Amino acid sequence: MRFLGFFLTLVVVFVFNIITFHKSLNNYIEQKYHINILATFFPSNSSNEISLTQETQSLQDIPPAPKYPHIKDGKIILKPQTSFLLIGDSMMQGIAISLVPQLKKLNMQVSNIAKQSTGLTYTNFFNWPKKLEEELQEREFDIIVVMIGANDPWTIKRNIYFKTEEWNAIYTDKIQSILQSAKYHQALVVWYEVPLVKNKKLSARLPYLNSLYQQNVESSNNLFLQTNQIFAPDGNYIAFLQEENKSISLRANDGIHFTRSGAKILANLLLERLEILPDEEEDDLELDSSLSNNDKNDLQPPQQ
Amino acid sequence: MNYFSIEFSLIFLIFLAVYWNLKNLVVQNTLLLLFNYIIIFLFGGINVAITLLCYSIFIHFCALFINHFKTKFFLLMCISFSVLILCFFKYYPDLKDFLEDILSFIGIHLSHQTNIILPLGISFYTFASITYLKSVYDNKTKGFNIHLESFENLATYLSFFPTFVSGPIMRSEFFFTQLRAKRIWNNSYANLIFILLLFGIVKKILIASHIENYTSPILQSPQDFSTIKLLLAIYGYSLQIYCDFSGYINLVSAFALMIGFTLPPNFNMPYIARNLKDFWNRWHISLSTFIRDFIYIPLGGNKKGFFATQIFVLIAFGISGIWHGNTINFLIWGLLHGFGIVILNALKYYNIHLKNIPLLPKILTFNYVTFCWIFFYYPDFTNALSFLESFKNVALIETFEIYLLLFGFCLFIIYQFMDNFLNHCVKLLEKIPNILKPAFIACVLFIIFKYMPNGIPNFIYASF
């Protein structure tokens, strides 16, 4: 085959695959470059990702919250065999390397479904609220651990810019979907603050996202774990932690993900909050009503 | 961006169209150099490109130095410097405090937050540069200096995009002979290129990715799974790493052929190896021959008696292990292979062999290699040990897993007869009329992409 024939074969195959998989390609481009080509050129054909309509559970269906686990004075009071579900992006996958075996050592059940390149902004690519609801319908979990956001602080569709009122409403709606799903299925949520990253543009946007998480998570009586006290102590990204004249490497070469020691520190942030009661103990611990995960006021549908 | 991204495909298509329309070799080579650096910038960022440029300048001056002084001392000094640069980047996070203390002793105070990042591809271009320096030295001592290349040629060699990320390690003479030759499009290579591309894509994004989805949860929490699942996971990982790396080699070999270059072979059906020595003649061939020629033989090879030979084998494999990663597990992995070969040498020494039992040597070799991968997969010793301890798990025998294991065994038997599979596929593709080829390839790709897992995969060897 001559070069021209060879080259044309490559071009035809390339074009055919672009046409065939245009939706996947569009999702990839949207996730990576924050441009939705289909929405730009074919506004009517693109799926209505930004709809605020949520399928909210009926309040009457909610059974009373179980006694364990619950949050008291910033601690999670739980019993052995509590089930954890880990969700989030590649940062969560990093923490999971350390967190999963340590939780299992504590006789907990853990399921890790974190997935790289995911977030809450581009749900065409991967829809966490939907995925979480599916998981919770399939199996009961007591605690949902979340770290998400590093792929998120960008424009939605063509013109819904980060930090604008509309963006804020859409994004908060997605956070709330996760919290409400958890609440309906009587699970606590432990939400990790996203540590600042080396990339200055992304890093500058993360505090705003973190404030949204903190506000929503704490107001729904769940636990928000602050990480930047360690990972960005002066409000600036650090790659190494100085401990007893020894440098502990926290971040991978890309300045985003964690080293094993960084992941271990993050895992410990959660582990030190756990207060595990003996399995057989029948105590009379009074639930902190303000922190109970049965507060039906939090189960209002998101604002339309 | 990586070799599987849409961005790379698009840029590469544009480059190909321009490249083959240039008739002047010098212009073609200049464009190749420029394209190499564009790809490196897009894959790794500006720092990676600048580090490579500086390293190329350093190696160019080293070569001039060796060419001028002609002594082995200067050759060793230059090679030592290149290896030191590699070690500095590769092991910086572990040596950080030590290096800071040394620098502070001589009055240079670095911030505790100074971070040196391992540049993409540095291992492979360091190895390539060592073969170049050795070639300059060898030729100069023999009386000619035809192997002293221009800076542009050297920079093209060290940045050559098909081999830049994860090899194969191409000897300098092998590359420069091709770089100097007039580039001619070889019509007979077209079908081979298509098949190499399809092999690379199938191996990596279909087989390796799906296997990874199955094995990862088991390998990450081995204590939760039964013995049979642990076996499936480690056999699966064995297949995954092979498909991942050999798929990458298929892909970059196709890219090189598309621009008129051939790459040295790096895999030759490694899991049909009859023993460990045979395995290393078939797995990552360019690395094992590099270690043989640049570590094992200079140490003394097999010329200093049986006992010394075994020590050299262990040193060579220990270094190979440490090169893969600075953890005790990589060292154990390397030494396990070293000890395996020492035992093999001892058996040969006492004239004991298992050749007469059909398939048994192959099964033993595959299982040994597979269980060594445990130390390659887990970065720390306790995790590897915990995996091995999990084999004590008592669990119900699961029928599906037994069938899966039997299916794997059948595949292993079939694999023994697939020696010429790639060539057969090329011949099959040759029989399809050229006009129908785009439709055929597009259909195959459609099936692959339809059934691939989500996301753009990364190669395991890219992190070395």
Side-chain angles (χ1 to χ4, degrees):
Chain A
M1 188 188 269
R2 291 183 176 190
F3 178 72
L4 186 64
F6 171 81
F7 185 75
L8 286 176
T9 305
L10 286 181
V11 172
V12 169
V13 171
F14 183 73
V15 171
F16 174 82
N17 279 291
I18 285 184
I19 294 167
T20 316
F21 295 100
H22 66 279
K23 277 191 180 164
S24 307
L25 191 64
N26 187 57
N27 292 343
Y28 164 73
I29 291 169
E30 186 180 38
Q31 180 72 13
K32 189 161 183 189
Y33 299 104
H34 322 300
I35 305 162
N36 189 319
I37 294 174
L38 286 182
T40 308
F41 294 105
F42 312 101
S44 56
N45 285 345
S46 60
S47 61
N48 189 13
E49 186 214 331
I50 58 172
S51 163
L52 294 183
T53 311
Q54 294 287 320
E55 283 181 21
T56 318
Q57 311 292 346
S58 158
L59 297 185
Q60 281 72 30
D61 295 342
I62 304 167
K67 197 172 180 183
Y68 299 107
H70 67 266
I71 299 169
K72 188 173 182 175
D73 301 332
K75 289 262 182 187
I76 302 171
I77 319 290
L78 72 170
K79 292 208 165 192
Q81 293 297 323
T82 296
S83 53
F84 287 74
L85 176 67
L86 276 46
I87 65 168
D89 53 21
S90 51
M91 288 175 126
M92 186 72 240
Q93 286 178 323
I95 302 173
I97 290 171
S98 183
L99 186 60
V100 172
Q102 297 207 60
L103 283 172
K104 284 189 172 167
K105 265 186 206 165
L106 296 171
N107 207 10
M108 303 296 163
Q109 295 172 28
V110 195
S111 180
N112 169 24
I113 58 165
K115 190 173 170 60
Q116 70 274 19
S117 309
T118 57
L120 298 178
T121 303
Y122 304 114
T123 42
N124 280 337
F125 181 72
F126 193 86
N127 191 335
W128 270 117
K130 192 174 159 212
K131 175 73 180 167
L132 177 66
E133 184 55 38
E134 284 166 8
E135 287 291 320
L136 292 174
Q137 278 179 11
E138 201 174 294
R139 205 181 132 191
E140 281 182 16
F141 286 96
D142 301 311
I143 298 177
I144 317 292
V145 185
V146 188
M147 183 183 266
I148 210 161
N151 296 309
D152 284 350
W154 312 108
T155 306
I156 297 175
K157 295 282 172 183
R158 281 173 300 166
N159 51 7
I160 305 173
Y161 298 106
F162 178 62
K163 271 189 179 180
T164 56
E165 213 168 287
E166 199 178 357
W167 194 98
N168 189 31
I170 293 167
Y171 200 78
T172 304
D173 187 49
K174 287 169 183 172
I175 298 171
Q176 277 299 328
S177 296
I178 288 180
L179 294 170
Q180 289 189 13
S181 273
K183 192 132 209 162
Y184 179 75
H185 293 278
Q186 303 176 328
L188 288 179
V189 176
V190 179
W191 200 300
Y192 275 100
E193 180 180 31
V194 186
L196 300 189
V197 297
K198 194 176 177 186
N199 179 307
K200 288 195 168 75
K201 189 177 176 189
L202 175 58
S203 208
R205 292 174 173 224
L206 289 176
Y208 180 75
L209 281 188
N210 283 328
S211 69
L212 288 182
Y213 302 141
Q214 184 167 16
Q215 196 183 322
N216 284 280
V217 169
E218 288 181 346
S219 66
S220 60
N221 304 324
N222 287 295
L223 187 63
F224 183 74
L225 287 179
Q226 291 188 334
T227 60
N228 279 322
Q229 289 163 344
I230 299 170
F231 284 76
D234 304 320
N236 293 315
Y237 163 91
I238 59 165
F240 293 95
L241 184 69
Q242 294 298 316
E243 219 169 61
E244 295 166 0
N245 288 331
K246 197 172 170 254
S247 301
I248 298 168
S249 173
L250 297 176
R251 306 302 277 262
N253 284 345
D254 59 10
I256 297 173
H257 298 97
F258 311 111
T259 58
R260 291 187 77 79
S261 40
K264 198 175 169 188
I265 290 169
L266 285 164
N268 284 340
L269 284 178
L270 171 59
L271 295 170
E272 66 197 18
R273 299 290 190 116
L274 302 183
E275 197 171 312
I276 305 167
L277 300 174
D279 209 7
E280 68 283 358
E281 187 179 324
E282 284 297 329
D283 59 11
D284 296 321
L285 273 173
E286 195 181 312
L287 296 186
D288 183 337
S289 60
S290 67
L291 293 171
S292 157
N293 64 337
N294 195 23
D295 186 348
K296 293 183 181 179
N297 293 331
D298 289 330
L299 277 160
Q300 297 305 315
Q303 293 194 336
Q304 306 284 310
Chain B
M1 189 201 280
N2 73 17
Y3 293 120
F4 282 119
S5 58
I6 185 87
E7 298 93 326
F8 175 78
S9 310
L10 200 60
I11 295 169
F12 189 46
L13 276 177
I14 296 167
F15 166 73
L16 273 184
V18 179
Y19 180 81
W20 284 108
N21 272 304
L22 298 170
K23 301 295 170 206
N24 184 314
L25 183 65
V26 178
V27 183
Q28 227 171 8
N29 285 347
T30 309
L31 182 70
L32 176 60
L33 174 62
L34 185 71
F35 182 70
N36 287 341
Y37 269 84
I38 290 172
I39 291 299
I40 288 164
F41 166 70
L42 293 172
F43 276 28
I46 190 73
N47 290 341
V48 172
I50 290 172
T51 310
L52 174 64
L53 184 66
C54 295
Y55 184 79
S56 304
I57 294 168
F58 166 72
I59 291 297
H60 184 60
F61 280 102
C62 283
L64 292 174
F65 211 54
I66 291 165
N67 190 50
H68 184 75
F69 288 104
K70 306 173 206 172
T71 62
K72 200 167 189 171
F73 172 75
F74 285 110
L75 171 71
L76 289 176
M77 201 173 72
C78 293
I79 290 179
S80 305
F81 266 121
S82 343
V83 174
L84 267 178
I85 292 170
L86 172 64
C87 291
F88 173 73
F89 280 111
K90 208 165 170 79
Y91 307 120
Y92 177 81
D94 301 289
L95 301 172
K96 183 176 182 290
D97 294 326
F98 172 70
L99 291 171
E100 275 177 13
D101 287 346
I102 291 178
L103 289 173
S104 137
F105 185 72
I106 56 172
I108 303 170
H109 299 282
L110 290 180
S111 153
H112 287 313
Q113 290 307 322
T114 305
N115 194 12
I116 308 288
I117 290 165
L118 179 71
L120 184 72
I122 189 166
S123 289
F124 292 94
Y125 63 73
T126 303
F127 292 159
S129 68
I130 290 172
T131 73
Y132 172 61
L133 295 178
K134 178 79 170 32
S135 157
V136 171
Y137 171 77
D138 284 347
N139 286 289
K140 187 62 196 169
T141 50
K142 281 176 198 161
F144 12 70
N145 60 358
I146 52 163
H147 286 277
L148 189 66
E149 295 291 334
S150 67
F151 176 71
E152 291 81 6
N153 282 1
L154 175 65
T156 309
Y157 170 51
L158 297 181
S159 62
F160 190 53
F161 80 91
T163 58
F164 179 77
V165 178
S166 310
I169 302 158
M170 191 161 40
R171 303 292 170 104
S172 57
E173 300 104 296
F174 189 86
F175 177 80
F176 289 124
T177 312
Q178 298 185 70
L179 188 74
R180 284 191 292 263
K182 187 171 165 45
R183 225 57 43 81
I184 298 163
W185 170 256
N186 191 332
N187 290 344
S188 64
Y189 280 165
N191 292 308
L192 176 61
I193 293 169
F194 290 135
I195 291 296
L196 283 170
L197 287 174
L198 290 177
F199 265 53
I201 293 169
V202 168
K203 280 182 186 173
K204 174 60 195 167
I205 66 175
L206 209 59
I207 304 176
S209 299
H210 277 299
I211 292 176
E212 187 185 6
N213 287 348
Y214 178 80
T215 59
S216 275
I218 304 173
L219 293 170
Q220 280 168 19
S221 309
Q223 63 277 14
D224 296 344
F225 294 92
S226 63
T227 307
I228 200 157
K229 277 202 171 163
L230 296 177
L231 272 177
L232 280 169
I234 197 61
Y235 286 140
Y237 182 71
S238 206
L239 186 57
Q240 181 201 334
I241 193 166
Y242 167 63
C243 287
D244 186 286
F245 196 18
S246 75
Y248 159 83
I249 295 294
N250 290 149
L251 211 61
V252 295
S253 299
F255 296 152
L257 280 175
M258 281 191 228
I259 55 170
F261 286 81
T262 52
L263 299 186
N266 215 33
F267 286 94
N268 180 20
M269 308 274 292
Y271 292 147
I272 64 164
R274 287 165 281 111
N275 56 51
L276 266 190
K277 260 188 194 170
D278 191 22
F279 173 78
W280 282 104
N281 286 330
R282 293 166 176 275
W283 178 277
H284 208 342
I285 300 165
S286 64
L287 177 70
S288 47
T289 50
F290 180 87
I291 288 172
R292 182 196 64 199
D293 295 347
F294 288 89
I295 298 173
Y296 175 69
I297 291 176
L299 280 172
N302 59 1
K303 305 286 182 210
K304 297 192 175 173
F306 180 79
F307 183 74
T309 302
Q310 311 319 312
I311 300 291
F312 300 149
V313 166
L314 289 177
I315 293 173
F317 275 98
I319 291 174
S320 164
I322 291 287
W323 169 74
H324 281 86
N326 53 335
T327 66
I328 190 78
N329 271 19
F330 279 115
L331 179 65
I332 292 172
W333 172 77
L335 289 178
L336 279 173
H337 276 274
F339 277 117
I341 286 181
V342 168
I343 291 167
L344 211 65
N345 288 342
L347 289 174
K348 195 180 169 192
Y349 190 75
Y350 292 108
N351 216 11
I352 303 167
H353 47 78
L354 301 167
K355 277 180 197 166
N356 298 332
I357 309 165
L359 215 59
L360 183 67
K362 292 181 178 180
I363 292 174
L364 286 178
T365 307
F366 174 68
N367 277 284
Y368 187 81
V369 169
T370 295
F371 276 83
C372 288
W373 288 131
I374 294 169
F375 293 91
F376 192 92
Y377 177 82
Y378 292 105
D380 65 64
F381 188 65
T382 43
N383 287 347
L385 218 57
S386 150
F387 179 83
L388 291 170
E389 279 171 359
S390 301
F391 275 94
K392 289 189 296 190
N393 289 353
V394 180
L396 290 170
I397 305 283
E398 297 125 320
T399 323
F400 175 72
E401 268 70 31
I402 298 227
Y403 285 141
L404 212 55
L405 207 59
L406 284 173
F407 174 69
F409 184 72
C410 293
L411 272 184
F412 182 75
I413 304 290
I414 295 166
Y415 175 72
Q416 308 298 317
F417 303 99
M418 289 174 72
D419 212 359
N420 257 327
F421 187 55
L422 191 134
N423 292 336
H424 289 312
C425 290
V426 173
K427 280 179 188 153
L428 198 72
L429 190 65
E430 277 169 1
K431 287 182 182 157
I432 297 173
N434 286 346
I435 193 81
L436 294 178
K437 269 175 195 156
F440 174 75
I441 296 167
C443 285
V444 175
L445 283 178
F446 175 80
I447 295 166
I448 296 169
F449 293 149
K450 191 84 186 156
Y451 293 102
M452 69 177 269
N454 284 338
I456 292 180
N458 269 327
F459 294 103
I460 296 175
Y461 257 74
S463 53
F464 296 133

